[in-house]
Amino acid sequence: DGLLQRFVVAFLRPSTQGQDRAPDHRAKDAYDNVILHLTDLPALQSRVYTLSPEAQTERDRVSSVARNLKMLPNTSPAFRGHLSKWDGLYARLLLTYHLVEHGERVTTVPGGVAGKVARLMLDYLLPNAVRFYHDVLGYEHENHARWIAGYTLAHSKESVTAREIDRAYHELY
């Protein structure tokens, strides 16, 4: 139904031995202030934000990468659906970054902010999405699941065993 494609997935590095140290209160306070600032903003529905020419170039770059990946023949339908959401994701991230860095009074988004969002999406989010849709969901897994579902329906079965599938579908043997 497209819900999964709306998630932004990130793979974290494996954990290492922790280090007992004092909390960074300055970083925590800065984070808290950003969140409070964003939640205290007046409704932005009537405000129009425009992209500078440099910001538009960054937006076009992200959109082009997503569009080109969707056209590849081995891109799974689920990953295509995820990439279809990238224009909206870019816009939401861009507005958030812009409001954090410049506030609501500056209505033209500069190229520097747009470049940060483009780098986040292309250098970090995209490799994580590729890994998720290929390694975790995998197009082959989708094909196998469809075959098993078709087999179950074609034989009017309420359930099938792994042995039955092994005998009938050698791809999974």
Side-chain angles (χ1 to χ4, degrees), residues 69-97:
L69 284 170
K70 286 191 303 188
M71 290 190 302
L72 293 175
N74 61 343
T75 301
S76 72
F79 190 35
R80 280 191 185 107
H82 174 73
L83 292 168
S84 294
K85 315 272 186 264
W86 267 45
D87 284 338
L89 176 61
Y90 182 82
R92 288 187 294 280
L93 287 172
L94 184 62
L95 182 59
T96 303
Y97 270 57

Side-chain angles (χ1 to χ4, degrees), residues 14-26:
S15 63
T16 58
Q17 178 66 35
Q19 187 180 35
D20 193 13
R21 62 178 188 223
D24 185 343
H25 292 291
R26 213 173 88 198

Side-chain angles (χ1 to χ4, degrees), residues 38-76:
L38 290 174
T39 57
D40 285 344
L41 286 173
L44 299 174
Q45 291 92 341
S46 61
R47 208 177 282 290
V48 175
Y49 291 88
T50 57
L51 303 182
S52 68
E54 299 82 12
Q56 184 62 45
T57 300
E58 295 293 341
R59 179 192 169 276
D60 292 342
R61 184 165 64 106
V62 170
S63 187
S64 175
V65 167
R67 186 175 50 254
N68 290 337
L69 284 170
K70 286 191 303 188
M71 290 190 302
L72 293 175
N74 61 343
T75 301
S76 72

